[in-house]
Amino acid sequence: MKRTALVSAVLLGTLMSSCKKETKTTTPPPAGGTLGTLTAENYGFDGGRSGKFSSTKAGFTQQSAAGVSTFMISAIRDGGSESITIVLLHAVKDTGVYQIGSDYDNGGIEIMKDYTKPGDLTQTYSTDNDGNTMHGGGEIRITKVDGSNVEGTFYAVGFNSAGKESFAEQGSFKGTISK
C-alpha cells in the first residue's frame, strides 16, 4: 500500500509538472519538437478495446531524492484524455527486463481513462492493483540506453478501485531523458 501511495504521488507530481513544462519551457526540445514517443498497438478499458494508443509528446525523466532513484515516462494519447505512465523505482543505466505488479517492488504502470480526473480512482488502472480473479502486472523491457536516449517495450494489465481491468499490449517507447 505504501508503494502504491508513493507511485501515485510521484505520478501526480509528474503529470502536474509535465503540464507546467509544456507551457514554460526554458530548454528547447530536441529535433522534431518532442521529448519522445510512446505507443501501444492495442489498449482498452473494462473489457473493451480502444484501439491504438499513440503519444508523440511523451515526457521522460530520471530523478534521485532521499536515496531513491526513479525513472518515469508520462504520455497522454494524442487528441485524447487517456494516459499511460511508467515508473521504475531505480535509475535506468543499462538494458534489462523488469517484471512489475503487486508481487514485485520495481515500480508500476498506470493507465488512466481521463488524466484530468486524478482523484477519481475508477479512472485510474494500476498494475499494483488486483482484480477478482487476476493479479495486475506486466513487463518493462529497456532495449537500448545511449547517454540520455532510451528505448524499450512494455505491456500491462491493471485494475481500478472497482476491480475493473485495463490493458496495454505491444507497447513501445523511445525518448530523451530530461533530468
Side-chain angles (χ1 to χ4, degrees):
M1 185 59 113
K2 289 180 183 179
R3 180 175 54 133
T4 301
L6 170 68
V7 170
S8 293
V10 169
L11 293 175
L12 181 58
T14 299
L15 283 174
M16 299 307 268
S17 66
S18 293
C19 293
K20 292 177 186 174
K21 288 179 185 175
E22 288 179 358
T23 58
K24 294 183 180 180
T25 303
T26 56
T27 305
T34 65
L35 292 175
T37 60
L38 183 141
T39 61
E41 292 300 318
N42 189 20
Y43 81 106
F45 299 96
D46 308 329
R49 181 181 182 277
S50 299
K52 182 176 181 175
F53 181 102
S54 181
S55 175
T56 56
K57 296 180 181 177
F60 289 68
T61 61
Q62 187 155 272
Q63 301 174 344
S64 293
V68 177
S69 294
T70 304
F71 170 76
M72 186 179 315
I73 305 169
S74 298
I76 299 169
R77 185 177 63 82
D78 294 342
S81 60
E82 301 94 340
S83 68
I84 296 177
T85 303
I86 297 173
V87 177
L88 285 175
L89 298 178
H90 56 79
V92 171
K93 298 177 183 175
D94 295 311
T95 60
V97 178
Y98 305 94
Q99 300 299 315
I100 55 169
S102 58
D103 294 336
Y104 303 96
D105 201 17
N106 290 331
I109 296 176
E110 284 192 350
I111 306 169
M112 294 185 74
K113 274 187 181 179
D114 186 346
Y115 75 93
T116 67
K117 299 177 182 177
D120 183 352
L121 298 181
T122 63
Q123 300 286 313
T124 302
Y125 299 74
S126 174
T127 56
D128 284 340
N129 294 337
D130 294 330
N132 295 328
T133 60
M134 289 181 58
H135 288 300
E139 179 181 279
I140 301 165
R141 183 178 297 262
I142 307 297
T143 58
K144 183 178 180 182
V145 178
D146 181 14
S148 60
N149 297 313
V150 64
E151 296 180 26
T153 61
F154 71 95
Y155 68 86
V157 174
F159 294 90
N160 68 6
S161 61
K164 293 188 177 182
E165 178 184 345
S166 179
F167 67 94
E169 299 175 326
Q170 298 171 330
S172 64
F173 54 86
K174 180 178 182 178
T176 303
I177 300 170
S178 65
K179 296 180 182 182

